[in-house]
Amino acid sequence: SRCSSRRTLRASSVRRHIATSAPILSFAMAATLVVPSDITIMEEKKSIGKRRLGLLERTGLLLTAPMLHITYSKMDRGDMRAVLSKKYDTEDTSSAANLCRARQESVRKSVVATNFMWGTAGGMTGLVWWSFRRYNYQSRLVALPFVFYGGTFVGRALGDVITLRNAEFARDRFLASLPAKTYFTAN
């Protein structure tokens, strides 16, 4: 009888706690609507047609890793392709058109630099594989992942230097990092 009264007491206190407390999954968003961001609307307004992508831009987009959007704080490869494929009037000297062209150029540099990141990582890995040719395969397999990972950092720096991305202004890099989509808010 003592044990059953404890269970009843616990069950009633748990029910009371659940009834008075906030929901457990309060962080989950209700039905949200994804809309174009302000910069995307301005780009669409200022664009005058389509632009063909270059070879390095297409391969850089292909080598860009897929993205899982939770907060829409970054651009995925589809958004980058949309930014790069817009054509702007060269005679338009408005500040909005200059912003769009600066954003497009910064996104282009970022995408082209991706080629050098993966190329350098693959090249360094291939050279390590070749220089370990007289060793057994276990020693090669131990070294390769570390060299490949380090090669991505070397390649990122090399790509930034080759595309002159290291010399661009912080404003331009910030423009390129602005997301193309965002959640709709009422205000």
Side-chain angles (χ1 to χ4, degrees):
S1 83
R2 186 173 191 184
C3 184
S4 66
S5 66
R6 278 188 187 164
R7 276 193 214 137
T8 314
L9 181 62
R10 276 193 206 139
S12 65
S13 64
V14 168
R15 271 188 246 118
R16 190 173 349 121
H17 176 71
I18 289 174
T20 59
S21 66
I24 295 172
L25 296 175
S26 62
F27 63 87
M29 287 191 199
T32 53
L33 183 64
V34 178
V35 294
S37 64
D38 296 339
I39 188 88
T40 307
I41 294 170
M42 185 175 68
E43 285 173 346
E44 195 61 41
K45 181 181 172 187
K46 289 294 181 180
S47 100
I48 60 169
K50 289 282 212 181
R51 173 184 169 270
R52 277 193 72 202
L53 298 180
L55 176 68
L56 288 176
E57 292 170 348
R58 283 190 306 236
T59 56
L61 286 171
L62 230 146
L63 294 173
T64 301
M67 184 171 302
L68 174 65
H69 287 292
I70 296 173
T71 60
Y72 284 96
S73 61
K74 294 181 181 177
M75 289 185 18
D76 61 2
R77 87 174 66 157
D79 297 335
M80 289 182 198
R81 183 181 304 277
V83 168
L84 291 174
S85 64
K86 288 183 173 73
K87 188 177 190 179
Y88 301 108
D89 186 11
T90 55
E91 296 175 3
D92 187 3
T93 58
S94 66
S95 60
N98 289 336
L99 276 176
C100 292
R101 281 193 292 269
R103 174 177 161 92
Q104 186 180 44
E105 181 61 22
S106 186
V107 169
R108 186 195 68 79
K109 287 178 181 180
S110 171
V111 166
V112 170
T114 305
N115 294 313
F116 294 102
M117 178 184 71
W118 292 116
T120 303
M124 286 176 63
T125 305
L127 288 173
V128 166
W129 184 268
W130 181 78
S131 32
F132 279 33
R133 66 189 180 279
R134 299 205 190 278
Y135 296 94
N136 60 3
Y137 74 94
Q138 292 97 343
S139 58
R140 288 186 216 164
L141 292 179
V142 165
L144 289 183
F146 299 107
V147 172
F148 185 82
Y149 185 66
T152 59
F153 290 99
V154 173
R156 194 172 303 136
L158 185 68
D160 285 354
V161 169
I162 290 174
T163 60
L164 299 176
R165 191 166 181 244
N166 62 333
E168 75 181 350
F169 292 107
R171 179 195 128 204
D172 295 340
R173 198 171 284 206
F174 172 74
L175 281 173
S177 71
L178 287 174
K181 298 176 198 133
T182 185
Y183 287 117
F184 177 74
T185 56
N187 46 348

